[in-house]
Amino acid sequence: MSDDQKTQAGASYAAAGVDIEAGDRAVELLAPLAKRATRPEVRGGLGGFAGLFALGEYDKPLLAASSDGVGTKLAVAQAMDKHDTIGRDLVAMCVDDLVVCGAEPLFMQDYIAIGKVIPEKVAEIVKGIADGCEEAGCALLGGETAEHPGVMGENDYDVSATSVGVVEEAKLLGPDKVRPGDVVIAMESSGLHSNGYSLARKVLLQDAGLPLDQEVPEFGRTLGEEMLEPTRIYAKDCLDLAAECDVHTFAHITGGGLAANVARVIPEGLVAELHRSTWVPGPIFTKIQELGGVAQEEMEKTFNMGVGMVAIVSEEDADRALAMLAARHMKAWRLGVVRSGEGGATLQGEHPAEG
């Protein structure tokens, strides 16, 4: 037998690094997770070529879609070998974009690219996604796990997802509804969420050399636990608020920071005046700024600084909205007001001193 014949005889998908049996075992572990994160409108089961979802009865439905990933927060999860929370970040980054226009998240489909399929690791990742879907009230309709040997390291993976929601055309929220005198309400973030991790990792891990397992008194836990705190999912809070109060729009505070994201929902001729004096950013932001010598402007365009979602409501319903959020155990406060002017959104004043 020639060398070429030996190569052909010995070649296989498994020899190339793709373990189909491991993929099948992973699917077996994922099935009960997807079954748990469901809705009555789901049709069929896991394993088909496409997920099916019955849209239901609407007068003039508008479908909304959002796709996102988690970014370099994954590097922290991989360094800690903890994979059961990153999926919650993935859900939050997608569904919290949907609710900005008033859309109810219906379902999500995920994509996991991984160097080597270890069924238990994939199941941990998907468990976090299923947990997030349950919290957001949407179904995990399906997904894809792709093994990429030779392209990714065995312990490396990346995740992304697309979520789909629906809103009645008559209930669509957006900049066109914003008026002078509207109140800007801030909802507290759970920490860094899923933005700015390239800078956070450089300052805390690379430059300062802090170990992830080090207890940090200001955090009341380890650095790794603080950095892996899942992104808050605001979907149900926002939808309930919109159903009961005169909400004009929301702004999800992600990459670009508070002012830039609020500006996206402020129409021309108006400006949202946001006041730093209304809140104190959490200790993770202070730690990054102090250790890295990061300028305030750079902090505010990179991180959420403690505000994860913003609601813009009529002045008449502002107190009611705050009371509703308090009843849902969501820390919220008056962040500012919308006035005539130019600039979209501005941050004014200084944060109060801590303590």
Side-chain angles (χ1 to χ4, degrees), residues 182-241:
D182 283 353
V183 174
V184 183
I185 292 176
M187 299 180 219
E188 186 181 44
S189 71
S190 58
L192 293 175
H193 282 185
S194 297
N195 295 104
Y197 272 78
S198 294
L199 178 56
R201 288 168 49 244
K202 181 181 187 305
V203 170
L204 299 173
L205 306 181
Q206 297 174 24
D207 295 347
L210 300 179
L212 287 168
D213 60 357
Q214 177 176 310
E215 291 281 342
V216 181
E218 300 98 308
F219 303 158
R221 54 182 171 178
T222 67
L223 174 61
E225 289 169 337
E226 178 70 22
M227 293 185 75
L228 270 195
E229 177 66 35
T231 305
R232 179 162 281 157
I233 296 172
Y234 299 92
K236 287 185 176 180
D237 301 297
C238 290
L239 292 173
D240 285 353
L241 200 66

Side-chain angles (χ1 to χ4, degrees), residues 79-97:
M80 294 179 65
D81 195 25
K82 180 173 173 57
H83 314 286
D84 60 346
T85 63
I86 209 75
R88 295 174 66 89
D89 294 282
L90 183 62
V91 174
M93 296 304 288
C94 290
V95 301
D96 286 343
D97 276 356

Side-chain angles (χ1 to χ4, degrees), residues 147-331:
E147 195 168 26
H148 290 171
V151 176
M152 304 177 75
E154 287 192 358
N155 294 319
D156 295 335
Y157 63 88
D158 197 7
V159 296
S160 63
T162 295
S163 56
V164 174
V166 64
V167 58
E168 282 281 10
E169 186 176 27
K171 296 181 179 179
L172 184 67
L173 305 179
D176 61 302
K177 296 185 179 296
V178 178
R179 298 289 182 266
D182 283 353
V183 174
V184 183
I185 292 176
M187 299 180 219
E188 186 181 44
S189 71
S190 58
L192 293 175
H193 282 185
S194 297
N195 295 104
Y197 272 78
S198 294
L199 178 56
R201 288 168 49 244
K202 181 181 187 305
V203 170
L204 299 173
L205 306 181
Q206 297 174 24
D207 295 347
L210 300 179
L212 287 168
D213 60 357
Q214 177 176 310
E215 291 281 342
V216 181
E218 300 98 308
F219 303 158
R221 54 182 171 178
T222 67
L223 174 61
E225 289 169 337
E226 178 70 22
M227 293 185 75
L228 270 195
E229 177 66 35
T231 305
R232 179 162 281 157
I233 296 172
Y234 299 92
K236 287 185 176 180
D237 301 297
C238 290
L239 292 173
D240 285 353
L241 200 66
E244 299 293 332
C245 298
D246 186 16
V247 176
H248 294 163
T249 191
F250 295 100
H252 187 198
I253 311 307
T254 56
L258 180 57
N261 280 286
V262 171
R264 294 167 65 180
V265 296
I266 302 298
E268 188 175 351
L270 297 180
V271 60
E273 295 179 354
L274 313 177
H275 299 281
R276 297 186 185 94
S277 60
T278 60
W279 89 102
V280 178
I284 183 65
F285 305 105
T286 304
K287 180 69 74 175
I288 292 170
Q289 187 166 14
E290 290 179 349
L291 287 179
V294 184
Q296 184 73 19
E297 181 181 2
E298 185 69 19
M299 291 292 298
E300 291 178 342
K301 74 178 183 181
T302 305
F303 302 108
N304 65 62
M305 299 301 287
V307 179
M309 181 70 76
V310 160
I312 299 180
V313 305
S314 67
E315 167 62 35
E316 293 76 16
D317 261 9
D319 288 341
R320 186 181 181 199
L322 287 167
M324 279 192 64
L325 291 168
R328 296 181 65 88
H329 307 290
M330 172 67 68
K331 184 176 179 180

Side-chain angles (χ1 to χ4, degrees), residues 55 58-65 101 103-104 106 164-172:
L55 188 56
Y58 294 88
D59 293 328
K60 291 184 177 180
L62 295 176
L63 291 179
C101 68
E104 177 188 6
L106 298 177
V164 174
V166 64
V167 58
E168 282 281 10
E169 186 176 27
K171 296 181 179 179
L172 184 67

